[in-house]
Amino acid sequence: MIGWMGKRKPLFLFGMLALLLAGCGKENLTAFEPKGYGAESSMNLIILSIIIMAFVLAIVLLVYVITLVRFRKKKGQENFIPKQVEGNKTLETVWTVIPIILVLILAVPTVVATFDLADKSEAQDGINVEVTGNQYWWHFNYQGDEVQTSQDLYIPTGERVYLNMKSSDVIHSFWVPSISGKMDVNPENVNTMYLEAHEEGVYWGKCAELCGPSHSLMDFKVIAVSPEEYDQWISDMQSVDPEANPEDAVAQDGKALFEEKSCVACHAIGSSPNATGPNLTNFGDRTKIAGYLEPTEENLVKWITDPESVKPGNKMTGNYPDVSEEEAEQIAAYLLQLSPSDITTESAGN
């Protein structure tokens, strides 16, 4: 004989799994710990919607319990038919008007917040970054500063940074949950939003629109630093000389191979206009390779020699001459020493 626990075991296990998964995640990859203006607006809307849903749930449960207790079938009333109230104009008006009011209470602040986060009336006097979404990486062009980079977006705290976003291929969605909401990134038009971080730190971003087989690996970071550190970072990036030779002999050989193997045809170093691949000016400062691998020489060599096994569907596969493991190690040595600034993801917030 199966006891009550046996019948409800799947539901119990599902509940425990949901509770466990609710505790997963990263501190700087959640909308529930807002660290920026946009995230605070989103959190306020989340709280408002929860209050409305809790109110509706409480009313429904109250009516349900009253009905269950007051109108339950009593002994001797097996054939009793309660008073029928279909067509009651008062009731129909109440349960039509109340939902409309609740929807308006939620809709009005949502629309206000949506337009507020897309407001670009002061963009001309602020920091503007041209953002390009690609399968499966992000490119950032700091307009007016002659600075370009990929994957890591540096911003100053306490200032609005306007992002003018467009896709080079399919539809993407730019999302940094800890400091702002989402914005679609389309091939046909430019969408604008702004970021405003309150605290220094490294905030994880995601593409929130299914864009291909490696969509889940399309991670990036927003590094919020003090205004003084931001100015220093901009200055350091502007001072990069793409032709400078590394001090290390292995890295020098890697630089030569980087040019010989046509890597420069797709990857820019410095402020040169970007081609089809990520800008590598400050590659050595990144804390991830291909968006998610740890920045070790071994992982970088694997990425160079067999990118398809690391990130399926990427556009690098098959678009450069064969590279031996030894050559890949030399190229890796060159790339890992590309660190033009002391302002990095490691130093942010410290």
Side-chain angles (χ1 to χ4, degrees), residues 48-64 98-99 101-103:
L48 176 62
S49 64
I50 290 175
I51 291 173
I52 291 175
M53 289 186 289
F55 171 75
V56 172
L57 178 62
I59 296 298
V60 171
L61 287 177
L62 179 62
V63 173
Y64 174 75
I98 290 179
I101 293 174
L102 294 178
V103 169

Side-chain angles (χ1 to χ4, degrees), residues 37-321:
Y37 180 80
E40 286 180 348
S41 296
S42 298
M43 189 62 186
N44 291 336
L45 292 174
I46 291 172
I47 293 173
L48 176 62
S49 64
I50 290 175
I51 291 173
I52 291 175
M53 289 186 289
F55 171 75
V56 172
L57 178 62
I59 296 298
V60 171
L61 287 177
L62 179 62
V63 173
Y64 174 75
V65 171
I66 291 174
T67 304
L68 196 65
V69 172
R70 185 175 177 183
F71 299 103
R72 71 187 186 279
K73 184 183 291 185
K74 300 179 178 64
K75 190 175 182 179
Q77 295 182 337
E78 287 78 5
N79 297 320
F80 174 74
I81 298 177
K83 181 181 178 181
Q84 303 302 295
V85 293
E86 66 269 10
N88 187 303
K89 292 183 179 179
T90 302
L91 282 177
E92 290 182 3
T93 301
V94 168
W95 61 51
T96 300
V97 171
I98 290 179
I100 292 175
I101 293 174
L102 294 178
V103 169
L104 288 174
I105 292 174
L106 183 59
V108 171
T110 299
V111 171
V112 171
T114 300
F115 279 93
D116 179 38
L117 295 177
D119 177 30
K120 51 183 179 181
S121 59
E122 300 178 8
Q124 186 173 356
D125 299 323
I127 299 171
N128 284 265
V129 181
E130 183 182 278
V131 179
T132 306
N134 309 271
Q135 291 176 310
Y136 302 92
W137 55 280
W138 299 89
H139 182 68
F140 308 111
N141 177 16
Y142 291 76
Q143 297 173 302
D145 287 322
E146 296 186 353
V147 170
Q148 301 199 37
T149 184
S150 300
Q151 293 300 95
D152 291 350
L153 174 65
Y154 285 75
I155 65 172
T157 56
E159 296 184 34
R160 290 188 177 184
V161 178
Y162 294 87
L163 309 180
N164 305 302
M165 301 184 289
K166 191 173 183 179
S167 170
S168 68
D169 36 53
V170 299
I171 297 175
H172 301 283
S173 183
F174 188 93
W175 188 31
V176 191
S178 292
I179 55 177
S180 192
K182 301 177 186 176
M183 177 68 77
D184 280 352
V185 182
N186 305 317
E188 302 89 1
N189 62 287
V190 176
N191 283 339
T192 300
M193 65 179 291
Y194 64 83
L195 302 179
E196 184 178 347
H198 297 327
E199 301 178 14
E200 296 181 29
V202 179
Y203 303 99
W204 286 67
K206 288 278 188 179
C207 174
E209 183 79 30
L210 181 61
C211 57
S214 289
H215 158 70
S216 63
L217 306 178
M218 195 170 166
D219 294 1
F220 65 99
K221 296 182 186 67
V222 174
I223 299 93
V225 297
S226 68
E228 295 76 20
E229 289 178 317
Y230 174 77
D231 291 340
Q232 181 61 53
W233 180 81
I234 288 289
S235 177
D236 292 339
M237 292 290 285
Q238 291 172 335
S239 302
V240 170
D241 179 8
E243 304 300 323
N245 283 316
E247 296 180 3
D248 181 72
V250 177
Q252 290 176 7
D253 294 336
K255 182 178 184 299
L257 285 169
F258 187 80
E259 298 171 356
E260 178 185 326
K261 296 294 183 178
S262 302
C263 302
V264 292
C266 297
H267 297 284
I269 294 176
S271 59
S272 302
N274 207 57
T276 57
N279 185 288
L280 303 179
T281 302
N282 58 341
F283 183 88
D285 294 336
R286 298 181 193 169
T287 57
K288 297 293 178 184
I289 293 172
Y292 75 102
L293 293 177
E294 293 301 314
T296 64
E297 182 178 316
E298 180 182 358
N299 284 335
L300 183 51
V301 168
K302 182 180 180 181
W303 171 238
I304 294 171
T305 55
D306 189 12
E308 192 65 20
S309 68
V310 175
K311 186 176 278 190
N314 74 86
K315 296 178 181 178
M316 189 165 83
T317 301
N319 286 319
Y320 58 95

